[in-house]
Amino acid sequence: MCGRIDFHDPKPFLEDMQKYYDWDISDYIRYETAATGYNIPPSSDILTWHEHHHIPLIEPMHWGLIPFWAKDPAIGNRMINAKSETLTQKPAFRTAFRHRRCLIPVNGFYEWQKFPGTKQKQPYYIKAKEKPYLLLAGLWDRWEKENIKSCTIITTDANEALKPIHNRMPVIIPPEEARLWLDDEITQTDILTPLLKPISPEALEIYPVSEYVNSPVHNDRNCIERV
DNA sequence: CCAGACGTTGTT
DNA sequence: GTCTGG
DNA sequence: CCAGACGTTGTT
DNA sequence: GTCTGG
C-alpha cells in the first residue's frame, strides 16, 4: 500500500522536468501550493505530473480520487490507492486509467509492518538507492461540481525486498517509461499493463524509522532518520 | 424498472 | 456514468 | 497511512 | 467499530 509520502525536496524533480522537455516549460509548472515535507498524508494537495497531447502540466492535486460522477466528494477518502490488477473493472478508476494517468514524484514513501495479535507497528522508509526521487504511478480525475482535481496512487504486489514488511507497494515507473505512461493518446490500456509490476528490489533502499512518523503532525527530518 | 454502490488493506 | 442487486 | 473523534443544548 | 482530518 502507500498511504504516506516524503517530498521534502522537490528541486531534483523540477530540474529534471526542465531537462526532459526540450523547450521552456516554466509556464506549465505550478507547484507553489503543493504539499512538501517529510510526512505527507492522504487528503494533501500532492504534486502530480501529467500531459495533454504531450504538453506537460505539473500541478498539485488532492490525494484521494474523487470520480467525476461523485455526488459526495467524501468518497475520495477511500480512494487513496487503486489496485493495479483491477483498474479496468472498477467504476471509480477505469475511465481514469484510459484517459487520465499521472506520475507522482516522491523523495520516498513509508510502509508499516504489523505484528499479528499486537497493536505494535514498525514504520519503514523506502527510497531509490541511487536517485533523489521516485515516480509513482497514479490516476487523476476532475470533479466538475467544484472543479477539484484529485489523484490516487496505484499499488501492486510487494517485491522481495518489501515482502517481509507489507504485501503491497506502489507501482514505481522508471523514468524511461514515463513517456509511455503519460501519453493520453494511448487509450488501449493493454500496452500499459507491463508497467504495472513491482519494481526491482535492487532499485530500493529500505530501513526502519521511528514511530515519530506515525503522527502526520510530525513533519521534519526525524521522520526519515534510520533507527 | 429503480436504488444504491462505486475502495484497499489486512484480519477473521 | 455504469453496474449490480432486488 | 495513523490519530483522534464519535453529541446536543444552552450559556459564557 | 467507523469516519474524519491531517
Side-chain angles (χ1 to χ4, degrees):
Chain A
M1 203 169 182
C2 185
R4 208 75 75 79
I5 61 174
D6 164 35
F7 194 52
H8 67 275
D9 183 14
K11 239 188 206 145
F13 167 70
L14 293 171
E15 286 169 1
D16 279 1
M17 285 299 93
Q18 186 50 77
K19 284 182 216 156
Y20 182 89
Y21 296 96
D22 60 359
W23 47 281
D24 182 4
I25 61 162
S26 47
D27 286 350
Y28 300 92
I29 299 181
R30 301 174 190 155
Y31 86 102
E32 290 76 11
T33 58
T36 54
Y38 293 89
N39 193 7
I40 303 172
S43 82
S44 307
D45 291 327
I46 59 175
L47 199 62
T48 67
W49 170 24
H50 61 104
E51 289 187 345
H52 184 58
H53 300 326
H54 309 294
I55 305 293
L57 196 48
I58 293 160
E59 61 178 341
M61 291 192 195
H62 177 91
W63 183 7
L65 188 141
I66 303 164
F68 64 93
W69 43 256
K71 290 190 189 83
D72 179 1
I75 192 174
N77 297 336
R78 289 168 298 170
M79 306 284 181
I80 67 168
N81 291 135
K83 195 174 180 177
S84 58
E85 295 90 329
T86 53
L87 290 182
T88 55
Q89 301 152 33
K90 299 293 184 179
F93 301 133
R94 59 189 167 200
T95 316
F97 183 38
R98 291 186 67 214
H99 301 289
R100 290 179 298 278
R101 296 177 297 274
C102 65
L103 290 167
I104 294 151
V106 300
N107 298 120
F109 62 94
Y110 302 93
E111 295 288 357
W112 277 260
Q113 182 179 37
K114 291 181 180 172
F115 302 93
T118 73
K119 289 174 191 166
Q120 200 194 345
K121 272 175 293 194
Q122 174 61 56
Y124 287 80
Y125 180 63
I126 301 103
K127 65 190 283 291
K129 207 175 263 178
E130 292 172 357
K131 293 186 301 178
Y133 65 91
L134 293 165
L135 297 171
L136 308 186
L139 305 174
W140 66 278
D141 213 332
R142 183 192 289 106
W143 195 52
E144 301 284 355
K145 224 168 167 180
E146 288 181 22
N147 197 28
I148 298 172
K149 284 181 177 178
S150 60
C151 63
T152 188
I153 294 172
I154 301 172
T155 63
T156 184
D157 279 329
N159 65 23
E160 289 305 315
L162 266 153
K163 233 167 232 173
I165 298 165
H166 204 79
N167 65 340
R168 304 289 292 174
M169 69 182 290
V171 171
I172 297 166
I173 301 290
E176 59 272 21
E177 310 276 24
R179 194 176 301 274
L180 175 64
W181 177 255
L182 294 178
D183 189 342
D184 65 344
E185 285 163 15
I186 295 174
T187 56
Q188 195 184 335
T189 55
D190 304 12
I191 64 171
L192 300 168
T193 43
L195 302 185
L196 299 175
K197 59 176 194 246
I199 198 170
S200 156
E202 287 77 35
L204 300 179
E205 179 180 346
I206 304 171
Y207 58 81
V209 294
S210 161
E211 290 178 62
Y212 182 77
V213 74
N214 288 11
S215 172
V217 307
H218 297 150
N219 189 13
D220 57 64
R221 190 149 196 101
N222 292 315
C223 293
I224 64 167
E225 289 295 332
R226 186 190 294 268
V227 294

